[in-house]
């Protein structure tokens, strides 16, 4: 049930909701309606709720007054461009936890990332305190040590053994970089685009985290440990078997401050012409 409702006193019959509906299931009669037999085609994108100029439309039990208005301050393109160009991966962190309320705010913002079919099925597996991350870090290094001793580590991951030896010898943490927090994005493998959904969600998380002065690092080594080296690590952090892991990100308060952005070599561009 879509719970599609129109406040007839507010509705001005502009037809914007019907015009913007991606699957064209909204009709004007003369007010907007969705016929029962067409409800199953709804993408649940809420575009109709978002575009209504008079807040007359409600769907899926959502109250338009509870949505964020777009009339507030929006960063200028130059500011966004500067922000993105000066973003740096952080590999040195302060030895303190990020406030849990702030972490929750970051995740709630990342929840607005677009997903295939508006499925919104990304699962965020979070370690939100340094103490638990210390325990997980030890488990990962133990898994590498076991793989080294049993000779079961694939050739492409052999380089990780040198990091394990450093950890064992003097506590030098190359893999986790002594970060206090970790976030893993996964999604049901049967979904339309599980990998892309996870990556986009983490991009949203990273940008809002950086705006709060929280450093981040996309961490493929931890993903390999969970996905390819020790399946028990997946169980340990509670990722369902039927999920695809998009990526792993470590984060925390940065212990370094960069003065300027790098000078990118740019992207290769294939200009398509027909």
């Amino acid at each position: 049930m879509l719970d599609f409702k129109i406040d007839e006193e507010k509705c001005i019959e502009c037809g914007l909701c019907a015009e913007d509906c991606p699957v064209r299931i909204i009709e004007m009669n003369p007010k907007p309606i969705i016929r029962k037999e067409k409800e199953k085609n709804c993408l649940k994108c809420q575009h109709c709720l978002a575009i209504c100029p008079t807040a007359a439309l409600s769907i899926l039990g959502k109250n338009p007054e509870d949505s964020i208005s777009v009339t507030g301050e929006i960063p200028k393109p130059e500011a966004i461009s500067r922000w993105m160009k000066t973003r740096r991966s952080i590999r040195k962190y302060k030895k303190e936890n990020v406030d849990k309320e702030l972490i929750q705010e970051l995740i709630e913002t990342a929840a607005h990332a677009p997903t295939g079919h508006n499925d919104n099925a990304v699962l965020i597996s979070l370690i939100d305190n340094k103490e638990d991350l210390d325990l997980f870090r030890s488990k990962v290094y133990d898994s590498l040590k076991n793989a080294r001793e049993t000779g079961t580590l694939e050739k492409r991951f052999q380089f990780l053994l040198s990091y394990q030896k450093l950890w064992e010898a003097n506590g030098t943490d190359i893999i986790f970089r002594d970060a206090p927090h970790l976030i893993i994005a996964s999604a049901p493998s049967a979904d339309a685009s599980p990998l892309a959904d996870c990556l986009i969600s983490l991009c949203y998380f990273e940008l809002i985290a950086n705006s709060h002065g929280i450093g981040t690092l996309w961490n493929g080594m931890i993903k390999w440990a969970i996905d390819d080296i020790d399946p028990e690590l997946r169980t340990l952090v509670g990722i369902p078997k039927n999920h695809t892991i998009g990526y792993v990100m470590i984060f925390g308060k940065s212990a370094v401050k960069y003065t300027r952005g790098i000078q990118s070599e740019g992207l290769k561009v294939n200009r398509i012409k027909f």
Side-chain angles (χ1 to χ4, degrees):
M1 297 293 293
L2 296 184
D3 198 19
F4 184 80
K5 296 178 180 178
I6 299 296
D7 185 325
E8 297 200 359
E9 292 185 2
K10 291 182 178 180
C11 180
I12 58 175
E13 301 176 14
C14 62
L16 289 175
C17 57
E19 292 175 12
D20 197 52
C21 177
V23 288
R24 296 291 192 268
I25 62 173
I26 300 177
E27 301 175 23
M28 300 301 295
N29 189 35
K31 307 288 185 186
I33 64 167
I34 298 179
R35 298 187 187 280
K36 211 72 171 171
E37 63 271 18
K38 293 185 177 181
E39 286 192 351
K40 64 180 182 299
N41 296 322
C42 178
L43 297 181
K44 299 180 175 60
C45 65
Q46 300 181 46
H47 277 303
C48 53
L49 178 146
I51 203 170
C52 180
T54 59
L57 188 154
S58 173
I59 191 170
L60 303 169
K62 310 292 185 182
N63 186 340
E65 282 77 16
D66 293 334
S67 294
I68 298 173
S69 171
V70 299
T71 58
E73 182 181 357
I74 302 241
K76 295 185 180 299
E78 295 82 2
I80 296 176
S81 177
R82 176 179 293 273
W83 188 245
M84 296 175 73
K85 289 177 179 178
T86 56
R87 183 216 69 88
R88 304 303 307 139
S89 295
I90 300 301
R91 293 178 173 84
K92 291 184 179 180
Y93 296 90
K94 294 180 180 180
K95 295 182 178 180
E96 55 185 271
N97 289 324
V98 175
D99 183 79
K100 290 187 177 181
E101 290 185 0
L102 175 55
I103 295 176
Q104 182 62 29
E105 180 182 335
L106 303 181
I107 292 174
E108 289 177 0
T109 299
H112 287 75
T115 57
H117 287 199
N118 293 291
D119 199 22
N120 203 26
V122 174
L123 171 67
I124 296 299
S125 298
L126 169 71
I127 297 181
D128 65 2
N129 65 86
K130 189 177 184 302
E131 295 72 26
D132 282 334
L133 189 45
D134 287 343
L135 295 173
F136 183 63
R137 178 190 293 110
S138 295
K139 292 288 187 181
V140 170
Y141 278 114
D142 286 346
S143 294
L144 284 171
K145 181 179 181 180
N146 179 67
R148 184 190 75 196
E149 293 174 345
T150 58
T152 56
L153 195 63
E154 293 182 44
K155 185 176 181 179
R156 61 186 174 129
F157 300 133
Q158 291 288 322
F159 74 96
L160 294 174
L161 296 181
S162 61
Y163 301 156
Q164 188 277 324
K165 290 177 182 177
L166 275 174
W167 171 258
E168 191 173 42
N170 55 30
T172 299
D173 180 19
I174 299 296
I175 296 178
F176 286 79
R177 299 287 175 175
D178 294 314
H181 307 302
L182 174 147
I183 185 171
I184 306 168
S186 67
S189 301
D191 278 11
S193 51
L195 182 59
D197 293 352
C198 292
L199 295 177
I200 297 170
S201 294
L202 286 177
C203 283
Y204 269 52
F205 180 88
E206 178 181 51
L207 288 174
I208 188 62
N210 290 173
S211 74
H212 283 276
I214 304 301
T216 56
L217 177 67
W218 295 79
N219 198 304
M221 291 185 286
I222 301 174
K223 181 181 184 296
W224 292 331
I226 299 172
D227 250 352
D228 302 292
I229 297 173
D230 186 356
E232 291 186 8
L233 293 172
R234 170 188 280 259
T235 303
L236 183 64
V237 293
I239 298 174
K241 291 182 179 180
N242 66 338
H243 271 217
T244 294
I245 295 177
Y247 224 80
V248 178
M249 183 176 286
I250 56 175
F251 67 98
K253 296 180 181 179
S254 176
V256 294
K257 184 176 181 180
Y258 292 93
T259 304
R260 61 190 58 82
I262 64 165
Q263 298 178 34
S264 172
E265 298 300 323
L267 299 174
K268 294 180 180 179
V269 178
N270 175 30
R271 300 191 185 282
I272 302 171
K273 294 183 179 180
F274 294 100

